[in-house]
Amino acid sequence: MMLDKVEAVRYFCIAAETLHFRETANRLAISPQVVTRMIAELERELGEPLFKRNTRNISLTDFGQAFLSDAQQWLKATETLFQTDFKESMSGTVRITLPRLPNNDVILTELLTALSPYPDLHIDWRPDTALYNSITRQIDIGIRISLEMEPHFIAKKITHIKERIVASTALLNRLGQPRDLDDLQNRFPLCAEINPQTGKAWHWFNTAEQSFVAKKPYFMSSESYSNLAVILKGLAIGVLPDYHYLPHVRTGKLKILFPDLPIPEWKMFLYRPYQENTPMRVIHVFGLLEKILVKHYHTTG
């Protein structure tokens, strides 16, 4: 297979900056194995090693250092030359799945605005709480809130998310303050999110020390916005992510219960499946979406 010199030199320039193949892969949203193979093919093409490698780190060889300056200048000129080809590659459909989040409409608007120079690129936007199978559902990019991401996805962590048990001040004025988790379970109406795999309530939290699940929930929903409405109405107590409860805690409508309870933090990930030849349109949308998400959520938690 013929070496793609433009891509190989681009990989090299980023690797020379990071001096870490895994970080290079993260920036390019590809697997580290692809970076390693591309650099090795470039070295074979040049007939000289570009990096010194050991078990702990890498560094540029003398040849690599000399090649870097020429490579950067050549890459800049080539990028200008191929702008027309880039626009031509910005056509087709990019399918995105995500949960319902605050600012979803704003995020979509900003993404579509950024893509306005490419009228032949279409976005298939699928709000859904499930992690779609990227093969059978043909999903290109996803946003997911979870403790960790599976290794077969390229994932960018956007932010940490803190969950807390919250109740409306109206409900607490009516029923009093729960003494402990047992009192909460036995004497208060609770709400929970539904696990779509089982149809039952998710645990509020689950740690090595303790776990908690609403045994007889007053209300159940497949997404947190509905639980937020029920909690704000004073009909039940539940667990909510910080982007839901913080605005209402500040206004005094909600109160955090057991604030020192060690509930595990979740993370928001932007992800896409590993592919050796990912379309340029997917890589471009992935990069734009990462910048937009960081702008809106990086201060969360």
Side-chain angles (χ1 to χ4, degrees), residues 3 12 40 45 64 101 104 116 123 169 176 180-181 193-194 218 221-222 271 290:
L3 176 65
F12 164 71
E45 181 80 12
L101 294 168
N104 263 14
S116 59
I123 297 298
T169 51
D180 52 32
L181 291 177
E193 283 196 51
I194 300 169
Y218 165 82
S221 174
S222 61
Y271 68 90
E290 180 185 4

Side-chain angles (χ1 to χ4, degrees), residues 219-232:
F219 179 81
M220 293 176 65
S221 174
S222 61
E223 49 84 41
S224 59
Y225 268 92
S226 298
N227 284 342
L228 172 63
V230 168
I231 293 169
L232 283 172

Side-chain angles (χ1 to χ4, degrees), residues 174-179 181-190 237:
R174 189 171 74 249
L175 298 180
Q177 188 90 9
R179 297 184 301 274
L181 291 177
D182 287 336
D183 186 38
L184 181 69
Q185 184 78 269
N186 296 325
R187 197 165 60 85
F188 291 81
L190 308 179
I237 294 173

Side-chain angles (χ1 to χ4, degrees), residues 35-92:
V35 174
T36 301
R37 189 180 69 250
M38 187 70 84
I39 295 296
E41 289 177 2
L42 180 60
E43 289 176 326
R44 282 195 294 272
E45 181 80 12
L46 296 169
E48 292 281 351
L50 295 166
F51 294 98
K52 301 173 187 175
R53 300 168 177 85
N54 60 41
T55 55
R56 294 194 174 186
N57 52 41
I58 65 173
S59 60
L60 285 168
T61 62
D62 291 341
F63 177 83
Q65 191 68 54
F67 180 69
L68 177 59
S69 178
D70 291 340
Q72 290 171 331
Q73 293 180 31
W74 181 80
L75 187 62
K76 185 175 181 180
T78 303
E79 286 174 348
T80 302
L81 179 65
F82 282 97
Q83 279 181 350
T84 302
D85 289 342
F86 176 78
K87 280 198 170 186
E88 289 177 356
S89 70
M90 293 294 103
S91 64

Side-chain angles (χ1 to χ4, degrees), residues 31 39 75 102 125 145 178 184 205 207 218 238 257 259 274 277 293-294:
S31 72
I39 295 296
L75 187 62
W125 191 255
I145 295 173
L184 181 69
F205 58 89
T207 68
Y218 165 82
L257 304 180
Y274 276 116
N277 297 306
L293 290 172
V294 167

